[in-house]
Amino acid sequence: MKRTVIIGTVSLLIIALAGVIAWLLQERKIQEEENKQMVQILEMDKAEMENQYKDFALQYNEMMTQVTNDSLLEQLSRQEKRTQELLEELRQTKANDAAEIMRLKKELETLRRILRDYVVQIDSLNRENQNLRSDNTALRTRNEEAEAHISDLSSKNEQLTDKVNIASQLDATGIRASARNKKGKDCEKVKDAKKLVVSFNISRNVTAQTGMRTIYVRISTPTGETLTRGGSFQFENRQLQYSIAKEIEYTGEEIPVTVYWDIAETLSAGSYHVDIFADGHAIGSTTFSLK
């Protein structure tokens, strides 16, 4: 009798152990798939960042050919060198190193703000010279050398027009994403979540074009799928699905934006990735988790 009980107990333990092992293997497979999807998103971010770093380095190099002020030349040279150093760090960073890519993305935002300041400064110098030229037409015959210099600055100012596009890109800052329950309170559990909320600020940018803009928010689930109702937008010569699109009127000053996703599908626990786009550019991202 005891032997029969022992054999039965051992059998139950073996069955239970087999079940635990099967569950662990399934969880490991799900985690590996989540990691794969996250790496793909980070690889896309890394490629976009590398292109922007290259553009910024080229912009600094070209601006250095358009100024004669020694102090300004030295500042531009330092920024160009710093941009090249950060580009090299990005190239050596693995796509799955999310913390390092996020750091380099913040560095990129800082570089963009600095570049805008230089574009505005050089543009202001060129405008001052244009005004000086029109206000001093009577001195042209006696100041041929000054006239030639002003004309040169005017032609170089036209070359800067295309480059201003880089500095005029919008930035999303202070990004926060969370889930809310039916009472409108923040929650961390999937079963309580009724709505996803993403809030951020579009930064002040005196070089950006004002007017109506469409902001696209893309929410990716832990399995790499995009929450969408079927809408898409153009990004890097391809169509990407978006979760939420919102029209804003941009005046050049900082503007707060909040968007909502009403949950109608079954969500899974894990890490969610949020990307924000405007004018064909990725302008910010963040992550949040649900249990």
Side-chain angles (χ1 to χ4, degrees), residues 264-278:
E265 54 280 293
T266 301
L267 300 183
S268 58
S271 180
Y272 287 73
H273 195 86
V274 178
D275 290 288
I276 304 170
F277 301 82

Side-chain angles (χ1 to χ4, degrees), residues 107-124:
E107 290 283 357
L108 187 64
E109 294 172 357
T110 300
L111 285 178
R112 183 180 291 117
R113 287 192 291 269
I114 294 173
L115 179 59
R116 287 183 188 135
D117 290 339
Y118 282 124
V119 169
V120 172
Q121 184 178 350
I122 294 174
D123 183 67
S124 177

